[in-house]
Amino acid sequence: MQKTRFDQPGHPPATITEFEGVRSLHLGTSWVQGAMRLSKPDAIELEYVQMMMMWMLFLQQPRHIAQLGLGSAALTKFCHGRFPGARVSVAELNPNVIAVCQAMFGLPPNDDRLNVRQMDALDFVHDPANRGAIDVLQVDLYDEEARGPVLDSPEFYQACSDCLTEHGIMTANVFGEFDNYERNLQHMELAFDAVVWLPEVHDANIVAIAFKTAPVLDFSVLYERAAAIRKTFNLPARKWVDGLKEWMLDQG
């Protein structure tokens, strides 16, 4: 077991552990904030992080992908590397997280398509320059205690919706105490045309997908797209479609 710290004052320290070929990111606690398999540094290791990519079932060629909360940079690296026609913007409040991702998780430097900024996610979604400009918004906002999303108000989710293009999609990880789930669902439904939750995966992570404009769900088409995603990107997209189907059946 190896440990490394990045601890610029004023923010939670970013710490590293390694076990059985997987490097994990922590914010000074035992909670895992992200992970990378050393033999596959550009793959997405954690299942719930893979699920954050389920927007791929509906959008094949996004032009602008934004992320709130860098984590271990798995989503950032994947989107930057696998969608060469897209700009990737990231808002991360903690400079220690940015530093550790650059040093230990293979986050590439900013370029004409990648812009990782140290800033508050709330400032990002309220920036007039982002209004109606983002095709995909990935939200994974946790502090070192990981009790629930740092931002989850109706106003926050409305600002997220306002950033999206007409057919834009938000995916969000909702983790923590039980009452977080119902509250976040209600607040998302106020701001989006349609919201779907996938079944819980490891460590109580639940991923929601929220649509600016509700799609028509044709499951035969979605399963075809899932097969193509599996073949091209090696992501378990069929399970995402199964989860969407399960949600629809549960809703009656």
Side-chain angles (χ1 to χ4, degrees), residues 204-227:
N205 290 283
I206 290 182
V207 175
I209 182 167
F211 300 89
K212 179 94 169 190
T213 303
V216 176
L217 296 182
D218 182 330
F219 283 100
S220 62
V221 171
L222 291 178
Y223 278 118
E224 285 181 9
R225 290 180 181 167

Side-chain angles (χ1 to χ4, degrees), residues 15-69:
T15 56
I16 300 298
T17 58
E18 290 184 12
F19 181 69
E20 294 186 344
V22 175
R23 178 175 293 163
S24 296
L25 169 66
H26 312 266
L27 295 181
T29 71
S30 61
W31 289 108
V32 173
Q33 302 278 347
M36 177 183 73
R37 185 165 296 277
L38 298 177
S39 61
K40 298 178 180 179
D42 294 324
I44 301 176
E45 174 67 16
L46 299 178
E47 184 180 6
Y48 89 85
V49 183
Q50 294 175 346
M51 290 171 70
M52 296 281 286
M53 296 293 300
M54 64 179 162
W55 55 263
M56 296 169 65
L57 293 167
F58 303 93
L59 294 173
Q60 279 76 57
Q61 293 182 315
R63 294 161 299 169
H64 190 184
I65 302 168
Q67 186 178 333
L68 306 182

Side-chain angles (χ1 to χ4, degrees), residues 95-171:
N96 295 318
V97 171
I98 298 174
V100 77
C101 286
Q102 291 170 336
M104 305 294 290
F105 288 93
L107 175 66
N110 285 348
D111 57 27
D112 59 343
R113 291 197 304 109
L114 177 63
N115 186 20
V116 179
R117 300 165 65 190
Q118 184 198 344
M119 69 180 301
D120 192 305
L122 202 56
D123 293 335
F124 182 91
V125 296
H126 283 301
D127 184 345
N130 291 325
R131 191 177 183 91
I134 294 168
D135 298 299
V136 176
L137 183 62
Q138 300 173 135
V139 182
D140 195 7
L141 293 170
Y142 289 87
D143 61 15
E144 66 275 19
E145 298 299 330
R147 291 200 183 104
V150 175
L151 298 171
D152 63 1
S153 69
E155 294 77 17
F156 169 68
Y157 286 124
Q158 184 60 57
C160 289
S161 179
D162 291 342
C163 286
L164 294 176
T165 55
E166 182 183 359
H167 296 287
I169 296 173
M170 178 185 78
T171 55

